[in-house]
Amino acid sequence: MAALLEARGACAGYAEIQVLAQVDVAIPAGSITAIVGSNGAGKSTLMRALAGLLRLSAGAIRFDGADITHHPAHVRVDDGIALVPEGRLVFPELTVADTLRIGAFLPRARRGWQDRAESMYRLFPRLRARRDTNAGRLSGGEQQMLALARGLMSMPRVLLLDEPSLGLAPAMADEVFGVLRDIRDQGVTIGIVEQNVYAALAIADQAYVMEDGRVVSHGPSKQLIDDPAIRTAYLGL
Ligand SMILES: Nc1ncnc2c1ncn2[C@@H]1O[C@H](COP(=O)(O)OP(=O)(O)OP(=O)(O)O)[C@@H](O)[C@H]1O
Ligand SMILES: [Mg+2]
């Protein structure tokens, strides 16, 4: 499978701190690709670099065969890259319905936004029931679903998710993971960072393991699940 979104030799960090050290990650079109690793490994930093929220000090970001290293974040949204950041960030005073509507603010996403909102309600029936409720009153799981749905309203070609299951009860997390498969099957490529390594490997087609700003392992999820080093370090097995 050809890579839809990739980082090549990406180096990036904050002020004088270098975090990403020559990271190569390729997210193939139509895949779910997981990025896992311990706290502080640089997973969120990589997501920000892919979404254009953080500039590279060296290396490149490529999307659909083009070099987008110098595209700022808003241009990358227009390119078709949507990031649902860690900690879901929904506007508490906006209703569910309004949140979905503003998710479709891009010119190319405006047309047909109502149909798309309808398909979000089919994907997340809980949101339909709460469409006139302010986002700030939703449960954590519902807010996560809303953040995901808002990301999808921009009609992305690749959806980047940073810790979508964080703070969710297991049943709610399972619901979110189930929906990710449906989204992938509808043709949206997914890059996902997860603390829950087992769940991430269970839904992903392939995964990268990061340590200390570097990729230390990469392969099909099934292979990583069976890897003794991964099992000991990340799966507690
Ligand atoms: N805004 C920031 N300013 C300075 N340093 C930061 C900033 N954000 C992250 N860092 C540092 O960069 C390193 C990588 O952080 P990052 O958030 O990418 O890790 P992570 O793999 O997402 O970790 P976690 O699993 O805890 O979310 C850490 O050492 C962190 O302290
Ligand atoms: Mg993080």
Side-chain angles (χ1 to χ4, degrees):
M1 275 188 292
L4 180 58
L5 180 62
E6 62 184 316
R8 285 193 190 166
C11 298
Y14 307 93
E16 71 282 7
I17 312 164
Q18 158 134 339
V19 176
L20 302 182
Q22 302 262 356
V23 170
D24 290 309
V25 159
I27 303 178
S31 73
I32 297 180
T33 295
I35 319 280
V36 301
S38 41
N39 294 121
K43 307 179 296 294
S44 296
T45 302
L46 174 62
M47 288 281 144
R48 289 184 206 121
L50 290 171
L53 298 173
L54 198 64
R55 275 208 291 184
L56 300 190
S57 53
I61 305 294
R62 297 181 65 82
F63 180 64
D64 201 12
D67 188 329
I68 61 160
T69 311
H70 301 293
H71 288 194
H74 71 275
V75 174
R76 292 193 208 188
V77 176
D78 227 351
D79 290 335
I81 301 169
L83 171 66
V84 179
E86 206 169 347
R88 44 209 185 247
L89 312 179
V90 290
F91 296 109
E93 305 296 336
L94 279 188
T95 64
V96 166
D98 286 340
T99 303
L100 294 185
R101 188 166 51 82
I102 63 157
F105 75 96
L106 289 176
R108 70 173 163 75
R110 273 185 214 143
R111 181 200 289 248
W113 75 268
Q114 278 139 322
D115 291 344
R116 220 161 324 111
E118 194 50 41
S119 61
M120 292 304 129
Y121 293 135
R122 275 196 298 276
L123 213 48
F124 302 103
R126 281 163 192 280
L127 294 184
R128 187 195 298 280
R130 318 216 60 187
R131 62 201 298 166
D132 298 317
T133 302
N134 286 355
R137 303 183 71 107
L138 301 179
S139 75
E142 289 163 348
Q143 287 186 20
Q144 185 59 57
M145 290 174 186
L146 181 58
L148 260 171
R150 179 184 58 189
L152 286 168
M153 287 299 290
S154 72
M155 298 181 71
R157 293 177 62 198
V158 55
L159 185 64
L160 299 174
L161 305 168
D162 196 350
E163 309 275 8
S165 81
L166 197 69
L168 302 190
M172 193 67 106
D174 285 346
E175 208 171 312
V176 169
F177 289 129
V179 167
L180 295 184
R181 278 217 165 114
D182 294 342
I183 293 170
R184 192 257 328 261
D185 293 345
Q186 288 170 22
V188 180
T189 300
I190 295 176
I192 178 176
V193 166
E194 255 300 324
Q195 291 278 331
N196 185 338
V197 177
Y198 192 80
L201 294 179
I203 63 155
D205 302 292
Q206 59 149 3
Y208 289 83
V209 182
M210 286 184 72
E211 277 308 324
D212 212 9
R214 297 168 193 278
V215 171
V216 293
S217 188
H218 163 227
S221 304
K222 284 192 182 70
Q223 191 180 309
L224 294 179
I225 285 181
D226 292 334
D227 181 326
I230 304 280
R231 292 171 77 83
T232 312
Y234 299 103
L235 299 175
L237 298 171

